[in-house]
Amino acid sequence: MEAISRDTQSAAAADGGFNVLTPEAWKGLLSPYSHIVLVANSEAVDFGRLRSELPGTALYVFFNNVYKVLHEPFAGHAVLIARSGVMGANIVHRREVVDVLRFFAGDDFLGVINIRVSPEENFSDESGFKGARTRHLDLTEMLGDLYPTDKIATSGFAMALWLAELQLPGKILLAGFSAKRSEKWKVFDVHDWTFEQIFLRLFARMGTISMMGGVDVSPYAAIARRFPQVPPIEIAMTAAEVLSERLHNANGQIDRLMSVTKSIRAIEGFFRRFKPKTRKQRFLEKSKE
């Protein structure tokens, strides 16, 4: 794989000392790869299948705490997405950079892309990434009028949308994007998982991206094949009707659980008041002074 050219390097735009590239520069950097594989921090990722089915010209995009899916140094073209928060890149202010970067080495590692997806998030300076080549990507404008206002986009969704809009020659593949809570890793409620899954699956059905373990195993696709005489809208409406009934029944059980656990939650709330403040909470309080 050829290194990024000097012409593309010079296309980087200075923005407050951060390494912000133009769209043309990003395309020049990512176009040589036959596949752009976004690897979710999920137990659903099948690395054996990925490495056996994809060529050596694929670029693997990892996110933040890669030790959730990697157990040894990664051999292959890779880039690390470092998501920002109000205190800068999460892996920087949590002092996890060394733990994460030990999985990448050599010329095949493209470096770190520090991204932000909302105005409240702030970039970290390149010095915080312990010598790793760092670029910065601001996706706030792209997501501003698209994403539900009371939620915040996941890094994977934001990158998938951005890559699709770049119109790269390589194929975009999402691996492990199930949005399912696992026994080991939690799924944060600050994201709109339903919105993201609908969006990504529509993208996949349009052929813009591919999802390993996504639309190719949809049970509703099997229903459509079994009833070819039924219009797709009728299948969708019937599915929505059934899901609505199931959700209504589930809400009834949730209300019952909330009533039963009322005293437990009151005790928990009392003791939470004595919990020491986190570094993030102290930072936010100090910034308001």
Side-chain angles (χ1 to χ4, degrees), residues 17 21 51 64 77 103 105 111 115-116 120 142 160 165 171 180 183 191-192 233 242 244 252 255 258 278:
L21 273 62
R51 302 310 296 270
N64 296 310
H77 301 289
F103 290 97
I115 71 169
R116 70 173 196 150
E120 293 76 21
M142 180 190 73
E165 291 192 349
K171 296 180 179 179
K180 295 179 181 178
E183 294 183 4
H191 310 301
D192 193 327
I233 186 62
V242 174
S244 178
D255 288 342
M258 293 295 288
T278 64

Side-chain angles (χ1 to χ4, degrees), residues 246-263:
R246 289 182 58 82
L247 180 60
H248 176 74
N249 293 334
N251 283 337
Q253 296 299 319
I254 292 172
D255 288 342
R256 184 168 177 268
L257 284 172
M258 293 295 288
S259 177
V260 171
T261 60
K262 183 177 180 180
S263 59

Side-chain angles (χ1 to χ4, degrees), residues 220 230 232-244:
Y220 300 101
V230 180
I233 186 62
E234 290 295 334
I235 296 176
M237 290 179 65
T238 302
E241 176 186 340
V242 174
L243 291 173
S244 178

Side-chain angles (χ1 to χ4, degrees), residues 180-227:
K180 295 179 181 178
R181 181 183 297 274
S182 71
E183 294 183 4
K184 191 174 183 181
W185 308 114
K186 62 183 177 181
V187 173
F188 291 100
D189 191 45
V190 296
H191 310 301
D192 193 327
W193 299 101
T194 302
F195 173 85
E196 294 193 6
Q197 282 294 306
I198 293 172
F199 202 106
L200 293 176
R201 291 184 184 214
L202 286 174
F203 253 2
R205 287 186 168 90
M206 291 169 54
T208 307
I209 63 173
S210 298
M211 295 180 70
M212 181 173 283
V215 293
D216 56 328
V217 294
S218 170
Y220 300 101
I223 293 175
R225 290 193 299 268
R226 178 61 180 81
F227 300 100

Side-chain angles (χ1 to χ4, degrees), residues 1-3 29 33 51 56-62 74-80 103-112 133 135:
M1 189 68 60
E2 295 182 1
L29 180 65
Y33 300 98
R51 302 310 296 270
T57 50
L59 173 68
Y60 292 82
V61 181
F62 294 95
F74 183 78
H77 301 289
V79 65
L80 175 68
F103 290 97
F104 308 105
D107 296 335
D108 288 339
F109 180 48
L110 203 58
V112 176
R133 189 176 201 178
R135 301 172 180 87

Side-chain angles (χ1 to χ4, degrees), residues 6-243:
R6 291 185 178 274
D7 291 339
T8 307
Q9 286 177 324
S10 63
D15 184 3
F18 299 122
N19 188 14
V20 181
L21 273 62
T22 63
E24 292 75 19
W26 282 117
K27 291 186 72 171
L29 180 65
L30 300 174
S31 290
Y33 300 98
S34 61
H35 297 75
I36 311 293
V37 188
L38 277 64
V39 184
N41 288 334
S42 167
E43 296 169 348
V45 175
D46 187 346
F47 263 112
R49 179 182 172 187
L50 281 175
R51 302 310 296 270
S52 64
E53 293 184 0
L54 298 179
T57 50
L59 173 68
Y60 292 82
V61 181
F62 294 95
F63 297 89
N64 296 310
N65 306 125
V66 294
Y67 46 75
K68 295 180 178 180
V69 290
L70 293 178
H71 306 291
E72 59 184 9
F74 183 78
H77 301 289
V79 65
L80 175 68
I81 304 301
R83 174 66 174 270
S84 276
V86 294
M87 297 176 65
N90 293 326
I91 61 173
V92 172
H93 82 78
R94 293 173 184 166
R95 302 183 179 92
E96 297 171 332
V97 175
V98 174
D99 292 334
V100 171
L101 291 182
R102 66 185 176 89
F103 290 97
F104 308 105
D107 296 335
D108 288 339
F109 180 48
L110 203 58
V112 176
I113 302 178
N114 181 196
I115 71 169
R116 70 173 196 150
V117 304
S118 75
E120 293 76 21
E121 297 174 348
N122 297 293
F123 287 135
S124 284
D125 189 83
E126 185 172 5
S127 61
F129 295 97
K130 307 298 182 182
R133 189 176 201 178
T134 305
R135 301 172 180 87
H136 298 84
L137 179 60
D138 192 341
L139 301 178
T140 56
E141 184 175 346
M142 180 190 73
L143 293 165
D145 297 329
L146 172 67
Y147 207 83
T149 55
D150 58 338
K151 298 287 184 177
I152 187 168
T154 65
S155 301
F157 174 81
M159 287 300 297
L161 179 59
W162 176 72
L163 287 168
E165 291 192 349
L166 271 185
Q167 298 182 338
L168 298 169
K171 296 180 179 179
I172 302 171
L173 174 63
L174 274 55
F177 280 64
S178 65
K180 295 179 181 178
R181 181 183 297 274
S182 71
E183 294 183 4
K184 191 174 183 181
W185 308 114
K186 62 183 177 181
V187 173
F188 291 100
D189 191 45
V190 296
H191 310 301
D192 193 327
W193 299 101
T194 302
F195 173 85
E196 294 193 6
Q197 282 294 306
I198 293 172
F199 202 106
L200 293 176
R201 291 184 184 214
L202 286 174
F203 253 2
R205 287 186 168 90
M206 291 169 54
T208 307
I209 63 173
S210 298
M211 295 180 70
M212 181 173 283
V215 293
D216 56 328
V217 294
S218 170
Y220 300 101
I223 293 175
R225 290 193 299 268
R226 178 61 180 81
F227 300 100
Q229 72 277 19
V230 180
I233 186 62
E234 290 295 334
I235 296 176
M237 290 179 65
T238 302
E241 176 186 340
V242 174
L243 291 173

